[in-house]
Amino acid sequence: MRIVIFMLLLLSTSAMALNKPIIWGTDVWDGFTNTDGTGFYHALIPKIFPSPDYSIEINYLPWKRSLLYLESGKVHMSGALPATNTFYLSEAPVLTETLFAVYVDKSEQECCDFTNKIGSYRNGYENEIFNRAFPDNDNAVSVSSGSEGIKLLLRGKVDYFVDIGSVLERLILDFPADLKLQAVGSYPLYWAFNKTLHGQDLKRHFDKKIKELRQSGQLEDLYLSYGLTPPKIDVLNYHK
């Protein structure tokens, strides 16, 4: 009888652990984490942490604050990040991104020179995006959104705006101007978890489910349905 009671208590404790909310901290990314619950990440995460076994609580936060909360344990996961030792990272990247500089094409030249020009980037992404593309350029300003960056560019207040390709390709469609994209860097982005036992468990589960989804073909179908390219196999262990 005692064994039965013990097993019931164990199962009850496990069920509560599973149903305890996983707090996901994220900035708002058009096409990825829209506040109305749409976007690629909103479609991906429920496949990895399905209901009712898991409950996801989403906290929309400025990017730097989401990283601070992740490090302190106020949120349990976030994404997507470049390679770092600060957090546990997913074994495979969730995106392989190209960084682009957007500029107004004022000549017939195929490319452009950004030396000594004024750049701009989305607030909070100076290290993760701008400095990766232009590590020696201190002549840049932060903006509240990609749309603001493009508007400043069109008004001649800045010479270029830097962001990842999957965001920019959607963004520039809203602006009827002669905007050009120039590739300025490339890197894989990973899902991140805080360095706790809970974070380690979430990472292991994430890696396991991603592998299953990839092998079944569901993962590639999901990427393609959002117009995204699945990460390349040759960068799967980039951060190790």
Side-chain angles (χ1 to χ4, degrees), residues 44-235:
L44 174 65
I45 294 304
K47 291 183 179 296
I48 297 172
F49 300 106
S51 177
D53 291 337
Y54 297 91
S55 174
I56 303 294
E57 179 183 313
I58 304 173
N59 287 0
Y60 292 101
L61 303 164
W63 182 239
K64 285 190 175 180
R65 191 185 305 170
S66 70
L67 295 183
L68 288 174
Y69 279 18
L70 182 63
E71 190 169 4
S72 68
K74 290 183 179 180
V75 302
H76 303 135
M77 65 180 190
S78 188
L81 277 71
T84 175
N85 292 322
T86 306
F87 309 110
Y88 289 131
L89 300 179
S90 58
E91 182 179 46
V94 292
L95 289 174
T96 302
E97 281 287 357
T98 299
L99 297 175
F100 286 94
V102 186
Y103 65 100
V104 179
D105 187 17
K106 298 179 180 178
S107 69
E108 295 181 356
Q109 294 180 353
E110 184 178 346
C111 189
C112 48
D113 183 4
F114 299 110
T115 306
N116 299 322
K117 300 292 180 65
I118 301 175
S120 61
Y121 57 90
R122 188 174 174 183
N123 185 37
Y125 296 89
E126 181 176 6
N127 292 327
E128 286 77 14
I129 290 181
F130 188 83
N131 288 342
R132 284 181 173 265
F134 300 99
D136 300 322
N137 187 1
D138 296 325
N139 197 17
V141 297
S142 66
V143 295
S144 62
S145 67
S147 294
E148 182 187 351
I150 300 298
K151 289 175 183 177
L152 288 178
L153 175 63
L154 294 175
R155 293 203 300 266
K157 301 295 184 180
V158 298
D159 297 301
Y160 60 96
F161 173 73
V162 180
D163 214 324
I164 58 176
S166 57
V167 170
L168 290 176
E169 288 169 358
R170 294 179 174 86
L171 181 62
I172 63 175
L173 294 176
D174 297 328
F175 294 91
D178 194 11
L179 298 176
K180 299 292 184 182
L181 296 177
Q182 174 64 35
V184 291
S186 180
Y187 64 126
L189 300 172
Y190 301 85
W191 210 253
F193 309 88
N194 52 36
K195 284 198 169 181
T196 62
L197 290 176
H198 183 223
Q200 192 173 49
D201 287 342
L202 292 178
K203 168 193 155 46
R204 288 171 178 165
H205 177 81
F206 187 97
D207 290 341
K208 177 175 177 290
K209 292 299 293 184
I210 281 287
K211 185 176 180 180
E212 292 174 358
L213 290 170
R214 183 183 299 112
Q215 290 175 341
S216 69
Q218 295 180 63
L219 189 62
E220 182 176 8
D221 289 344
L222 183 62
Y223 276 91
L224 295 178
S225 69
Y226 281 87
L228 299 171
T229 302
K232 298 176 181 178
I233 299 298
D234 59 359
V235 296

